[in-house]
Amino acid sequence: MLEFQISQHVQTSLKWIQDTCFPATGAYESFAASIDGSPADSRKSLGTFSGVVIPCILSMFSAILFLRMGYVVGFGGLYDAVIMFTLSYFIVMLTVLSVCAISTNGAIEGGGAYFMISRSIGPEFGGAMGIIFFFAQIFGSTIYLLGLVDAVTDTIDKFPNTYYYKILYGSLVLLLMLGVVIIGAEIFAKTNILIFIIVSMVLITNIVSFFVVPAKTVDKPNDNPRDDLPDLLYTGFNSTTLRNNLFSNYSADYTLKDKLTSFETVFAILFTGFTGVFAGSNMSGDLKNASKSIPVGTIGACTFSYLVYILMTMMIAATCDRMLLQNDYLFLEHICVKPYITFVGTIAVTFSASLSTFIGASRILEALAMDDILGKLLYFVKIGRTRRGNPWVAVLASWVLIQALLFVGKLNVLSPFVATFSLLTYATVNMACLALDLAGAPNFRPTFSYFNKYTSLLGFFASIVMAFVVNPVYASTSFAICVMLFIFIMFRTPGSSWGYISQALIFHQVRKYLLLLDTRKEHVKFWRPSVLYLCSNPRSCIPHILFLNDMKKGGLFVIGTNVVADLTPGIAKWLEEQKLAWLSLIELLNVKAFVETTIDTNIRNGLQNLIMTAGLGGMTPNTVVMGFYDTASPVDFLQDPSAIPSKRKLLRRLRRDNDDRRGHVDELPDVRPQNARDRISIENYIGIIRDVMQLRKNLCIMRHFHNFKRPELSKKSHQCIDVWPLPPHISTVFVEDDTTSMFLLQLGCILHMVGTWDKARLRVMLTTPSQQLGVSEKTQMESILKILRIEAEVTTVVLPASIKDAVTEAERYSIVNQLIRDNSKDTVVTFVYLPRPPNQASDEQDYQYISQLNILTDDLPPTLLVSGLSKVTTTQL
């Protein structure tokens, strides 16, 4: 009758918590199922009390309530014990607030804390902490099992107390637990209800015993090797006993060969009991309504267990001599009205705690496997589930690990591991909630309102600090393991559809900094190329993209393209698919670029809009790069991996990635046939060049980059970067005010500063009408380069006399073309001064201009024709 009343009071309290804290909690799971069209999970059969409250309470009592209360009060005293319990519950409750916020913000599935962390902050953090938390559960289950074995061997003399016998007893009990967990969650819940009733009766009996059992001397336990002990006294309620137990007395622990205790070691032992706060959330896949049950049940369980611990701490401090507490950790059996009652309670609560963490570990392992966090390493876990959905392979894997840890044989040895792993998990849960709150995403609106960013931040730091207080070595090692797991999962796991909190935080911060980027404060000494590349087709432009990624030197890189089409109803979906394919290609090419697309039936109009609108705020392109207008057939580099050696590995990665959200490069449009309907006309091409210049943008035109071999650059250090800073067909001297000449030098210098290009020789090819004038012009150029801090060789090239006899521009350009070919045959890339287009648009002049550019660049190495319209460098500090 008494236990029934306790159960009724607990459930009434839970109903009050639910009505107060969760007024708007709905059936998230039912709603999600109605959206997805998925049937309800047959595993979801547990309610709040049986699925959360009871597992949490029993796990938080675990080995502490009946086995280690004397250890905590005996060494820490009343004051330190209360501080430890309060500090533990303070950290736990801060974490519980974060758990409540996350769990009431959407439907919760199997995996408990791992599921909440991974779905909140992405698979990398979630996976790393899920693995850590899985091992925390494995270690915790082992600790509780060792506590059960200690209780049996210390109480019943007939059971041998040697190391191998303890392992045998633990293995037999673990085998029994394996049977319960294999059957499923329902038998687990029914078993826990029975155990909860037993523990409640034992707890009440122990409390009553403090009042009715008279003072007496307690015999020394069999496993205590000390022979010179004074009498171990139970005094009953006594003011002298209470005064003697107020303060700490950290001395030797008889179970660890008289190793000295400290606040940190005692706290580590105590905190292992509070890892049970996730016992309910670990059962999330078996709960009828996890979003309601987890917050309500966890808060109720924490409140109830904290009050029980504080009450027991005060009663123990007032009735038990310190020598008794420090030398008999099972003293509650000896002062109970019936010793076997406490023994039964100890067995029941440790069995339940070990069972709860066992089943929790198996559920976490199943979730990790289903999310493909470790790939084929956990593939075997996916293949084994019963018809009711019980992951029996995950259960067996957890059983094997617990069995292996049983060979450690000492509860106090494993406790720091559990405390450290659990504290790191708590820190991550708080960090997840903090990140969600800071990101300010409109969809983060949990129905639980009793939390804020300060509680999450405090919980995060408190958990981290206490992890290092418990054991700095274990904490540092665990942190290092988390980092390695994070890096491994980041590179190994394909993209997920869960959402990444990092993206929300980045958006939040980038928006703020973009608003601070004021174009009125720009200065030439901080200039860098911000490139807009007008790309016709990504398949034929991969070498161009790779080169421009090097040349941008940390500046903005936008790849823009115009789709020749009308804005029809189906075009939006096609554009989205193309964008995902573009992003996949950019990611796997390892270039830092944005993609912008316009739609217009007129290519020139579309590119005009692109040039004017590309970028955002103060981050806008200052340099436009175009391909060359020629009759060469475009090359599909995605179908010819040998053209770029690194492509072979790239394509393997592309085709291995089956994530639909990332797109696939095979969905990129095929290269245009030479006579394609949407090929740009010469008039529009020259018109775009004029548009760029009128918009005061620097301009580069790329040609012959289908021959560009960037991977070979590091193997041939004798290759050169050649800059021709003067209009090569004119006999003139270098003028510093010529923005194009300065822009050519700046681009050559920037490219030479990039790590991959610093092995090449940067040469400034200075044209001169005669060898005699070339000496003075070379000296002048070297002086200018020194002022500009550009390390380059100056090579003078004498213009042939025939250039003066040339009648037409075409003849002059042909002579210059031969001059460049003769002097730049070992060039990786050549920068050449771009002649200005004709001022007036006419078909004849446009065709003539294209013809002249074609003659100038015919059969050259990869070449950039450059025109600069703004100042890009300065000699001032």
Side-chain angles (χ1 to χ4, degrees), residues 228-245:
D228 55 345
L229 290 176
D231 292 338
L232 306 181
L233 301 176
Y234 168 72
T235 64
F237 287 100
N238 187 293
S239 58
T240 302
T241 303
L242 179 61
R243 283 196 299 271
N244 292 337
N245 286 332

Side-chain angles (χ1 to χ4, degrees), residues 617-733:
M619 291 187 66
T620 55
N622 54 36
T623 302
V624 177
V625 181
M626 304 167 57
F628 193 80
Y629 191 96
D630 58 18
T631 58
S633 299
V635 178
D636 187 349
F637 289 101
L638 290 178
Q639 301 301 323
D640 184 17
S642 62
I644 300 178
S646 62
K647 269 289 176 286
R648 196 178 306 277
K649 182 177 179 181
L650 182 149
L651 288 176
R652 284 201 301 267
R653 291 177 62 193
L654 285 171
R655 290 173 178 135
R656 184 185 65 191
D657 190 354
N658 296 320
D659 187 358
D660 294 336
R661 293 183 69 251
R662 289 177 177 265
H664 198 290
V665 292
D666 288 345
E667 297 177 5
L668 292 169
D670 296 331
V671 294
R672 293 187 181 95
Q674 193 59 33
N675 58 350
R677 181 181 64 84
D678 57 351
R679 178 177 168 81
I680 191 171
S681 65
I682 292 178
E683 294 82 0
N684 277 337
Y685 183 82
I686 304 300
I688 292 168
I689 293 177
R690 293 194 187 96
D691 295 338
V692 172
M693 293 182 174
Q694 289 176 2
L695 292 170
R696 305 298 300 169
K697 305 284 187 182
N698 302 311
L699 176 64
C700 297
I701 298 177
M702 306 177 74
R703 191 179 188 191
H704 301 306
F705 272 81
H706 60 280
N707 297 323
F708 175 61
K709 306 292 186 187
R710 180 175 178 268
E712 296 180 4
L713 183 62
S714 59
K715 302 176 183 178
K716 298 182 179 180
S717 60
H718 63 279
Q719 291 185 326
C720 303
I721 303 168
D722 283 356
V723 178
W724 297 76
L726 294 176
H729 63 294
I730 301 175
S731 299
T732 185
V733 295

Side-chain angles (χ1 to χ4, degrees), residues 856-877:
L856 176 63
T857 58
D858 184 47
D859 202 26
L860 291 183
T863 301
L864 246 73
L865 293 167
V866 177
S867 174
L869 281 88
S870 60
K871 192 174 180 182
V872 297
T873 187
T874 180
T875 59
Q876 298 177 357
L877 183 63

Side-chain angles (χ1 to χ4, degrees), residues 552-677:
K552 72 181 190 309
K553 186 56 179 175
L556 179 67
F557 185 16
V558 180
I559 303 174
T561 185
N562 179 76
V563 177
V564 180
D566 290 315
L567 192 61
T568 57
I571 195 71
K573 182 179 179 181
W574 182 83
L575 284 174
E576 184 63 27
E577 293 173 352
Q578 289 298 297
K579 183 177 181 181
L580 292 175
W582 264 104
L583 292 176
S584 180
L585 178 63
I586 286 173
E587 179 185 9
L588 293 163
L589 282 173
N590 196 28
V591 297
K592 297 177 174 62
F594 300 96
V595 178
E596 294 287 349
T597 304
T598 58
I599 304 175
D600 204 303
T601 53
N602 183 288
I603 297 178
R604 183 177 178 184
N605 291 341
L607 294 181
Q608 281 177 345
N609 292 330
L610 195 60
I611 294 167
M612 289 187 290
T613 60
L616 182 64
M619 291 187 66
T620 55
N622 54 36
T623 302
V624 177
V625 181
M626 304 167 57
F628 193 80
Y629 191 96
D630 58 18
T631 58
S633 299
V635 178
D636 187 349
F637 289 101
L638 290 178
Q639 301 301 323
D640 184 17
S642 62
I644 300 178
S646 62
K647 269 289 176 286
R648 196 178 306 277
K649 182 177 179 181
L650 182 149
L651 288 176
R652 284 201 301 267
R653 291 177 62 193
L654 285 171
R655 290 173 178 135
R656 184 185 65 191
D657 190 354
N658 296 320
D659 187 358
D660 294 336
R661 293 183 69 251
R662 289 177 177 265
H664 198 290
V665 292
D666 288 345
E667 297 177 5
L668 292 169
D670 296 331
V671 294
R672 293 187 181 95
Q674 193 59 33
N675 58 350
R677 181 181 64 84

Side-chain angles (χ1 to χ4, degrees), residues 722-763:
D722 283 356
V723 178
W724 297 76
L726 294 176
H729 63 294
I730 301 175
S731 299
T732 185
V733 295
F734 184 85
V735 180
E736 293 183 50
D737 292 335
D738 188 334
T739 54
T740 296
S741 297
M742 297 300 289
F743 187 44
L744 279 159
L745 291 175
Q746 183 78 331
L747 288 181
C749 176
I750 289 173
L751 188 61
H752 191 247
M753 293 168 66
V754 177
T756 310
W757 293 82
D758 59 2
K759 298 184 186 309
R761 296 157 54 204
L762 177 60
R763 300 193 304 179

Side-chain angles (χ1 to χ4, degrees), residues 448-470:
F448 180 80
S449 57
Y450 295 92
F451 85 101
N452 55 45
K453 59 185 177 184
Y454 301 109
T455 60
S456 301
L457 183 63
L458 186 58
F460 172 76
F461 280 114
S463 300
I464 293 293
V465 169
M466 290 313 301
F468 281 90
V469 168
V470 168

Side-chain angles (χ1 to χ4, degrees), residues 11 50 103 398 584 670 762 784 798:
Q11 294 196 56
S50 61
S103 63
S398 303
S584 180
D670 296 331
L762 177 60
I784 292 171
V798 179

Side-chain angles (χ1 to χ4, degrees), residues 17 25 68-69 95 119 266 285 341 361 368 407-408 415 526 568 601 607 625 640 663 683 687 695 753 807 839:
I17 293 173
T25 300
R68 287 297 181 267
M69 284 299 294
T95 305
R119 268 48 173 189
V266 175
I341 293 179
L368 288 167
F407 286 93
V408 174
S415 295
F526 301 117
T568 57
T601 53
L607 294 181
V625 181
D640 184 17
E683 294 82 0
L695 292 170
M753 293 168 66
V807 178
N839 294 326

